[in-house]
Amino acid sequence: MRNLTLLTDLYQLTMGYGYFQAGKHEQEAVFDIFFRPNRMITYSVAAGMEQAADYLETLRFEEEDIAYLRSLNLFSEEYLAYLKELRFTGDVYSVREGELVFPYEPIVTVKAPMIQAQLVETALLTFINHQTLIASKAAKICAEAGGAVMEFGLRRAQGADAGIYGARAAIIGGCVSTSNVYAGKLFSVPVSGTMAHSWVMNFESEEEAFRAYAKSFPDNCLLLVDTYDTLKSGVPNAIKIFKELREQGFEPKGIRLDSGDLAYLSKEARKLLDRAGFENAKICASGDLDEVSIRSLKNQGAKIDLWGVGTKLITSADMPALGGVYKLSAVYEGEREIPKIKLSDTTEKITNPSLKEVYRIYDKKTDKAIADLIVRFCEEIDESKPLTLFHPVDTWKRMKVTDFRARRLREKIVSGGKRILPKQPLAAHAEYFKKESSRFWEEYTRRDMPHIYKVDLSSALHKLKKEMIEAHGKGEETC
């Protein structure tokens, strides 16, 4: 495992030095990771927590790291000696991978000595922002496709790590396989892929290329049919080879379309395959697909069974960054919490103070999610009593719920610097996402004009936030 302790921004180390000089470096602090809404984000699929937990447990500066920091001529020898012995000793609370999460709610909370909590900010955001972004994009693509999406993005990823962990996140978000062999081995997930156009071009004829491939993979033969002319050459030649396979006792898998009018070509190819007696042969499509183009193709009646999605998934092309943030919400003097708040002229950028917890509220009759409720950490929700939910800004918008159940969304994944998050196969995270996403009405997760899912504050947290805003506002001129 790589040592990623220096995977941080310089200002984390300079602030750490300032805390060290001021004697505040061991003060316990609480930081939250959350994201804000924009027109592209209504919900996200949490991912990257396993990598975050591994990073925290192995945090340590090696000799060469200290030597490099010394060469910057920024830090004292006392500080460098402190860093050499530094280990992460804090606690981390997190939602599960595959959990649907919404703007403003803390996905991850770090409670640790200030210098540790500050140092790990950049790396944690790197792991969680990227994988949550790709898992969310995959979820939206798979929802439009109705499943059967293969992740094909490695060659277009923004570097090797983005390809590897992007494939991981795509599986969590619903993809059934990846073309990335390294990710397949690393995460024990199915891999998929057959041939490129270069294979077909490397033979004297398309028919010869197909026959050679079928000879190598008789029980897994899926042929790329658009190298020359899909309907006049590709599909007819594929059918000829499929007949030869059947005579040998094998059934073909199908064909792949990678260019052209995919709706028209798939419908015509389906007719040709069915007439030839290959009704079970699958039609796979690829080529700059995403949830928008897949919806369009399905609306046009395209006969596509499998979708290979690459560039626009692995880069999340329409929204290439999640924009999750890491904000201080409290510090401690001994056992006493001192809540912290960031104010802004933009209401949406005012943070929620204090150490917090998040509950998801479900209607017992339907088992569908109604809202999420952010509370102070010490609060409990009494399911035997009616619960009043209200908008955190427009507080007159209220809803009373009865006959509900409340589920705590987060669990401790690191305790005293030690990972307690159990290792799970990637398939378990994907299955968890599938199960939990079924508990949301489609109106909240649809692509076009979704309902805004309610994320509310408890009365106690709202009161604290209001008091802190008013306290900071004292002394301002009024007219």
Side-chain angles (χ1 to χ4, degrees):
M1 183 181 294
R2 290 178 295 171
N3 185 331
L4 298 177
T5 304
L6 283 186
L7 186 67
T8 191
D9 292 306
L10 181 61
Y11 85 148
Q12 313 291 9
L13 288 161
T14 56
M15 283 191 289
Y17 186 40
Y19 289 133
F20 182 78
Q21 294 285 75
K24 295 175 68 69
H25 56 296
E26 297 289 351
Q27 183 178 29
E28 193 167 47
V30 176
F31 285 82
D32 296 323
I33 293 177
F34 62 93
F35 63 93
R36 300 186 181 102
N38 63 36
R39 66 180 182 84
M40 300 300 298
I41 301 179
T42 51
Y43 74 94
S44 292
V45 180
M49 284 65 188
E50 286 212 4
Q51 285 67 48
D54 286 342
Y55 158 78
L56 292 170
E57 189 172 45
T58 58
L59 187 80
R60 67 197 62 224
F61 290 90
E62 306 290 354
E63 289 286 354
E64 56 266 32
D65 299 331
I66 298 299
Y68 171 71
L69 294 177
R70 182 178 289 113
S71 74
L72 300 179
N73 295 316
L74 290 171
F75 310 119
S76 70
E77 285 300 319
E78 292 78 12
Y79 181 54
L80 295 175
Y82 177 83
L83 291 182
K84 186 178 178 182
E85 301 301 320
L86 185 141
R87 303 290 185 271
F88 185 78
T89 61
D91 298 335
V92 179
Y93 302 86
S94 174
V95 300
R96 282 191 58 172
E97 297 206 59
E99 194 78 78
L100 267 71
V101 290
F102 296 87
Y104 303 120
E105 56 194 24
I107 302 170
V108 173
T109 292
V110 176
K111 185 182 182 189
M114 178 65 80
I115 196 170
Q116 297 176 28
Q118 193 72 71
L119 176 66
V120 302
E121 171 184 357
T122 302
L124 294 185
L125 287 174
T126 299
F127 302 133
I128 293 165
N129 270 336
H130 174 246
Q131 289 196 54
T132 299
L133 176 74
I134 303 303
S136 306
K137 182 67 172 176
K140 290 162 188 174
I141 291 171
C142 292
E144 290 294 345
V149 175
M150 302 170 288
E151 185 277 311
F152 278 4
L154 179 57
R155 67 185 60 194
R156 301 291 173 77
Q158 315 290 14
D161 278 358
I164 294 164
Y165 291 101
R168 179 185 189 275
I171 296 293
I172 292 174
C175 289
V176 297
S177 64
T178 177
S179 66
N180 185 333
V181 179
Y182 188 91
K185 173 179 176 286
L186 191 62
F187 305 122
S188 300
V189 295
V191 292
S192 56
T194 55
M195 62 170 68
H197 295 104
S198 60
W199 169 271
V200 181
M201 295 161 63
N202 201 33
F203 289 81
E204 289 299 315
S205 69
E206 187 175 55
E207 181 182 333
E208 183 184 347
F210 288 175
R211 184 172 289 112
Y213 192 84
K215 182 179 179 181
S216 296
F217 301 98
D219 56 354
N220 191 32
C221 184
L222 192 146
L223 301 173
L224 179 62
V225 296
D226 71 328
T227 304
Y228 300 120
D229 189 303
T230 300
L231 299 179
K232 291 181 179 179
S233 171
V235 178
N237 279 324
I239 289 172
K240 184 182 294 185
I241 301 307
F242 290 169
K243 289 179 178 179
E244 294 175 6
L245 276 174
R246 184 172 281 175
E247 289 174 359
Q248 298 165 27
F250 299 100
E251 279 298 309
K253 293 294 183 184
I255 63 171
R256 178 161 71 96
L257 304 170
D258 189 55
S259 61
D261 185 338
L262 295 178
Y264 170 74
L265 292 174
S266 67
K267 287 186 280 189
E268 294 303 307
R270 184 75 269 162
K271 292 176 187 175
L272 293 173
L273 289 167
D274 290 353
R275 276 193 219 119
F278 295 102
E279 296 90 344
N280 294 326
K282 303 293 186 184
I283 297 178
C284 171
S286 55
D288 284 332
L289 297 172
D290 63 5
E291 68 270 34
V292 177
S293 55
I294 289 173
R295 173 184 281 195
S296 175
L297 286 166
K298 294 187 81 171
N299 286 341
Q300 294 173 66
K303 301 298 184 181
I304 297 170
D305 305 295
L306 302 168
W307 308 85
V309 184
T311 303
K312 292 183 178 180
L313 167 55
I314 204 68
T315 63
S316 186
D318 57 349
M319 193 187 80
L322 180 69
V325 295
Y326 187 88
K327 296 297 182 184
L328 179 68
S329 60
V331 297
Y332 284 81
E333 289 184 355
E335 296 295 316
R336 185 171 72 91
E337 182 193 64
I338 304 173
K340 296 291 182 178
I341 190 169
K342 175 190 176 296
L343 298 182
S344 172
D345 290 336
T346 305
T347 303
E348 292 76 12
K349 289 195 172 185
I350 299 175
T351 61
N352 292 316
S354 187
L355 179 62
K356 296 173 289 294
E357 189 49 272
V358 187
Y359 285 88
R360 183 151 291 160
I361 311 301
Y362 298 88
D363 183 298
K364 276 188 177 179
K365 293 178 182 175
T366 63
D367 199 33
K368 296 289 188 180
I370 300 170
D372 286 1
L373 186 63
I374 308 174
V375 306
R376 299 192 72 175
F377 199 77
C378 57
E379 291 186 77
E380 297 287 343
I381 294 180
D382 187 346
E383 296 179 355
S384 67
K385 297 178 181 179
L387 179 66
T388 299
L389 303 173
F390 59 90
H391 192 283
V393 177
D394 301 324
T395 55
W396 53 271
K397 296 179 180 178
R398 291 176 176 258
M399 177 175 71
K400 182 172 285 190
V401 294
T402 57
D403 199 24
F404 68 92
R405 70 178 180 91
R407 178 171 71 89
R408 190 187 295 265
L409 281 194
R410 307 189 311 165
E411 59 187 357
K412 187 183 282 191
I413 66 170
V414 175
S415 180
K418 301 299 182 185
R419 172 183 171 143
I420 58 174
L421 177 68
K423 292 278 187 183
Q424 289 190 312
L426 192 55
H429 299 315
E431 184 58 32
Y432 182 80
F433 163 66
K434 183 179 178 181
K435 181 185 72 172
E436 289 304 318
S437 61
S438 71
R439 294 193 169 110
F440 283 83
W441 296 108
E442 185 269 340
E443 286 80 0
Y444 292 123
T445 58
R446 68 190 180 200
R447 188 175 69 87
D448 294 332
M449 302 179 67
H451 285 322
I452 301 303
Y453 183 74
K454 298 176 181 63
V455 178
D456 297 332
L457 307 183
S458 70
S459 296
L461 180 57
H462 183 267
K463 179 174 181 288
L464 172 65
K465 183 175 182 177
K466 184 171 180 290
E467 288 172 350
M468 292 184 72
I469 292 171
E470 291 173 350
H472 281 283
K474 285 180 180 177
E476 292 183 356
E477 292 184 7
T478 58
C479 59

